[in-house]
Amino acid sequence: MRKSLSIITCLLLSGKLLAQADGADLQPVNILVDAAAATKTFPSAHFYSVGAGRANEGLRADWQQQLKYIQTHIPFQYIRFHGIFADDMGVYSEDKNGNPLFNFQYIDVLFDFLLSQNIRPFVEFGFMPEALASTPQTIFWWKGNISYPKNEANWQALIKASVQHWVNRYGLEEVKKWYFEVWNEPNLKDLFFAGTQEDYFKLYALTAKAVKSVDESFKVGGPATAGGEWIPAFITYCKNNAVPLDFVSTHNYGVKSGFLDHLGNHTTVLHSDPLAIAHSVQKNRKEIMASAIPALSLHYTEWSSSYTPTDPFHDSYHSAAYILHQLKAIDTAAMNMSYWTFTDIFEENGPRFTPFHGGFGMLNYQSIPKASFFAYKYLKALGDRQIVTNQPNLLAGKDSTGGINILFWNYTNTHPGDTVSNQAYYKQVLPSAAIAQVQWQVENLPPGKYELTIRKTGYENNDAYTAYMKLGSPQQLSKQQVAYLKEKTADLPVFSELVQVANDKKYNAALTLHQNEVILIQIKPQTKNNSKKK
């Protein structure tokens, strides 16, 4: 006999997944997944690339340990960061006659490590070495120079020497798989680039031609703009001037007011559009399709809920459902959605002074996973093949064991609006209300025994930030507090049991879904490892 009824009883008693007696007062939701339905590959965008702060941070032991952890649980194909030519990487200088000198020893250490972790560099060319800078303008604590090169020939020599060095070290076939992106957010004048749009287009042309001079097959692109801007004009420029262009890149973030916030004083406000990022991606895809080069791939080389590393939404449990909500809607409109960033070891504004400070990362300084980490972990758990379904707020997949995996969520924008900043609203404990009574069913499962496992991320489930606030938001964490917060984010199942699928090939049960909650259901055929479970 199927155990769906006993499971519901267990859920009621456990207090972990509530099939509530007053469920009639909640919105009824029915989920049906057909194990025999057609499948397709998952969109490439989910795990194509991930972001990091700057190249020099990648030489740190803790940064490398965290990337290794990420690659173990959520393997990404590429990683992108700023500052490969910053002076702290020691790449470029000139002799007394102004001839360029190159040194790739620090980059070699970094790139060797990346490739050892099965992740390739998505190379962002920038910022300007001081010896090549035409003005003293800089950005960030680490003073990345944002000027146009004072010597265009030497800039091209730097690009060519770098690419040729990587070919010599890693081989032509390896480097053919890399991407080369020119600069970062040049449309933010005097913030990330001291020049005009015309200056950037010229810099792009110089750089792209230098890359292609090593090998025509190498992939180079831009304009790496903020807010999805400049794309039609950039494509037109490249087409009209025979400038190489292999892909389009841009960025966007899910806030509608505020600015790059160094200390958390200027405030940001979450966009009221629950699909703000997805709508931006779709707009850019339409622009490319309407252009003279409609087949160009679209890479969002930065995206997140907010563009400032002092936004507590990044730490909040709300972020998991937010991420999934955007990625589901984007689907295949972009080849790459590079989440910014994998770690809070990120020093645009210098070292941060608290363990949870609204940093971009999926992991905080102490390697405590945030909700964003679990959004990607659960996506990866869906398996290799996506089960075709038209149900909203849900993704389903089939893995190599024959298991069926169901991921669903509720994203509710609870932000009170423009009069309250993220920095105020999300720095408080925000309990999550029950919102739906979910009846879920899988059909066309071969009869037999299965291990049913349910995990969740939401309020007080894999929710380090709420647990941290309930500790009193200490400025520094003791070893015991770190261990406690890691225990709170151990992602233990909230329910696990062997269940029987009868000859009708169906299995069903019920649970309650809360606001901004993410639930992963996995039904895997019984194996020797779990055959003794009762």
Side-chain angles (χ1 to χ4, degrees), residues 276-318:
I277 301 296
H279 291 154
S280 176
V281 174
Q282 291 156 1
K283 172 180 176 290
N284 293 149
R285 167 50 57 199
K286 290 177 182 178
E287 290 174 336
I288 293 170
M289 292 178 68
S291 76
I293 319 177
L296 287 167
S297 59
L298 174 60
H299 294 251
Y300 262 56
T301 50
E302 291 182 26
W303 85 277
S304 176
S305 55
S306 174
Y307 43 55
T308 178
T310 53
D311 193 324
F313 189 91
H314 292 136
D315 296 336
S316 173
Y317 71 86
H318 296 72

Side-chain angles (χ1 to χ4, degrees), residues 226-387:
E229 296 184 1
W230 287 11
I231 289 174
F234 178 65
I235 296 173
T236 298
Y237 168 83
C238 292
K239 180 68 174 179
N240 291 347
N241 294 279
V243 174
L245 177 61
D246 299 302
F247 64 91
V248 167
S249 65
T250 192
H251 309 156
N252 217 338
Y253 291 87
V255 292
K256 66 176 181 179
S257 65
F259 198 64
L260 185 67
D261 189 1
H262 287 238
L263 299 174
N265 298 328
H266 298 294
T267 75
T268 45
V269 176
L270 189 70
H271 205 295
S272 58
D273 179 359
L275 289 173
I277 301 296
H279 291 154
S280 176
V281 174
Q282 291 156 1
K283 172 180 176 290
N284 293 149
R285 167 50 57 199
K286 290 177 182 178
E287 290 174 336
I288 293 170
M289 292 178 68
S291 76
I293 319 177
L296 287 167
S297 59
L298 174 60
H299 294 251
Y300 262 56
T301 50
E302 291 182 26
W303 85 277
S304 176
S305 55
S306 174
Y307 43 55
T308 178
T310 53
D311 193 324
F313 189 91
H314 292 136
D315 296 336
S316 173
Y317 71 86
H318 296 72
S319 65
Y322 179 91
I323 289 167
L324 295 173
H325 206 59
Q326 306 299 329
L327 291 178
K328 163 80 172 182
I330 290 163
D331 196 37
T332 60
M335 175 180 282
N336 174 14
M337 293 297 298
S338 186
Y339 188 78
W340 191 256
T341 59
F342 83 88
T343 176
D344 274 0
I345 301 170
F346 181 95
E347 296 181 346
E348 287 183 352
N349 308 312
R352 301 292 85 194
F353 279 74
T354 56
F356 289 93
H357 50 268
F360 289 118
M362 299 179 190
L363 304 173
N364 85 332
Y365 276 159
Q366 291 79 22
S367 300
I368 299 167
K370 302 185 195 178
S372 54
F373 171 86
F374 294 104
Y376 281 95
K377 182 183 178 184
Y378 289 1
L379 269 177
K380 180 59 68 175
L382 290 176
D384 299 324
R385 301 291 298 177
Q386 181 177 355
I387 296 173

Side-chain angles (χ1 to χ4, degrees), residues 374 460-464 467 482-491:
F374 294 104
E460 294 192 311
N461 285 279
N462 287 319
D463 180 11
V482 170
Y484 170 75
L485 293 174
K486 286 186 176 181
E487 182 181 345
K488 285 286 188 178
T489 52
D491 199 28

